[in-house]
Amino acid sequence: MPFRVDPATSFKADLVPGGRARVGMWACTGNPLVTEICAGSGLDWLLIDGEHSINSLESISVQLQVAAGYPIQPVVRLPINDTVLIKQYLDLGVQNLLVPMVDTAEQAAAAVAAVRYPPHGVRGVGSALARASRWNRIENYLGRADETVTLLVQVETAQAVANVAEIAATDGVDGIFVGPSDLAASMGYLGQQEHPEVVAAVEQCIRTAKELGVPVGVNAFAEATARRYLDAGVDFILVGADVALLARASEALAARYLPQTTDAEDERASY
């Protein structure tokens, strides 16, 4: 007899407005060993990135498998709000999706439709072939699929901020996530996530989501900024990334143990 499997608890069960903020980090290397190290960190959630990283369907699948052994919520970001890609991510077992660049309520509704089976959506039915249902070892997966999926949409342009209330209120959206980097660029402040107007826009999104009772998250690597948004009431936050931690820590080792060169020496070394 095959083993019967229960699906893991979805991230939305942890995102209770007014509860403790869930703190996480990015997984960008595409390496399952690195992801497993991060999964055992004690953080609440891990964002496996499919937009700005090397990750593929295959590497995401393996990372989901290694993260499953730890008490952490894996969330996966798609590269684009696309019905076919959403179907593929869901079928390989992604339960918590972050969809980037959602600027309107209509785009949010399209993402909702993509994660739901007919008659409530357009998700293709291939559960017998898919890890999502553990190859039909999750009893009544088709009827229970909605409860296993958390859909987060990313607000990261000036247009999205203008439409944030409608986006957050879209039926089926389980939370919004504000991306200050692209938001700053959209507002004409490329690379200036700390610009007062950008911070004000982020805080506007946080207030709007809280008024609607919708979970809201944000990305903030600078600790002072992260603390500010935590104090503003975000429900989930990303405070670091595997690649950034490795880059800064390796640079710190070099600075600690190697003699510091002058600009002239650096120029000669470049030839």
Side-chain angles (χ1 to χ4, degrees):
M1 294 289 291
F3 289 106
R4 289 299 174 190
V5 181
D6 283 325
T9 303
S10 187
F11 193 31
K12 60 188 174 187
D14 293 339
L15 300 180
V16 180
R20 180 179 67 79
R22 303 300 173 178
V23 180
M25 66 175 290
W26 297 78
C28 301
T29 66
N31 186 298
L33 184 61
V34 174
T35 296
E36 184 170 8
I37 292 169
C38 297
S41 63
L43 291 168
D44 298 304
W45 66 293
L46 190 64
L47 183 62
I48 301 170
D49 188 30
E51 183 183 14
H52 290 297
S53 300
I54 198 172
N55 278 306
S56 64
L57 290 173
E58 291 81 3
S59 71
I60 290 169
S61 179
V62 176
Q63 289 171 85
L64 291 174
Q65 290 170 333
V66 300
Y70 297 86
I72 195 168
Q73 285 281 6
V75 179
V76 182
R77 181 166 71 170
L78 292 119
I80 189 173
N81 186 2
D82 178 84
T83 299
V84 174
L85 273 177
I86 289 174
K87 172 182 63 178
Q88 289 181 301
Y89 274 51
L90 291 173
D91 280 355
L92 66 82
V94 175
Q95 290 184 232
N96 308 306
L97 285 170
L98 177 60
V99 178
M101 289 292 178
V102 173
D103 291 333
T104 66
E106 290 75 18
Q107 292 173 359
V112 172
V115 304
R116 291 179 169 176
Y117 286 121
H120 307 295
V122 297
R123 179 181 174 185
V125 182
S127 58
L129 310 175
R131 180 177 178 270
S133 69
R134 300 306 187 270
W135 306 277
N136 279 347
R137 289 172 180 159
I138 294 177
E139 188 172 358
N140 188 31
Y141 174 78
L142 293 177
R144 302 170 62 189
D146 283 355
E147 74 186 54
T148 73
V149 174
T150 295
L151 176 63
L152 308 171
V153 299
Q154 199 158 357
V155 172
E156 48 187 338
T157 65
Q159 181 185 8
V161 172
N163 294 324
V164 67
E166 292 80 9
I167 293 169
T170 301
D171 181 44
V173 168
D174 297 306
I176 63 168
F177 185 80
V178 186
S181 293
D182 277 303
L183 177 57
S186 172
M187 296 174 66
Y189 302 114
L190 180 64
Q192 300 179 60
Q193 297 93 308
E194 310 292 334
H195 191 283
E197 291 186 27
V198 177
V199 172
V202 173
E203 291 180 335
Q204 175 190 333
C205 293
I206 295 170
R207 286 193 302 271
T208 300
K210 290 178 69 65
E211 288 168 2
L212 293 169
V214 175
V216 55
V218 69
N219 188 59
F221 284 10
E223 183 174 356
T225 306
R227 297 289 182 190
R228 176 173 184 155
Y229 293 146
L230 287 166
D231 289 343
V234 293
D235 301 292
F236 56 114
I237 190 168
L238 292 170
V239 295
D242 52 3
V243 289
L245 290 171
L246 181 58
R248 302 294 84 78
S250 58
E251 290 161 5
L253 282 175
R256 186 177 303 127
Y257 291 105
L258 297 179
Q260 300 303 301
T261 59
T262 66
D263 290 342
E265 289 173 328
D266 287 338
E267 185 176 350
R268 286 196 299 273
S270 68
Y271 290 107

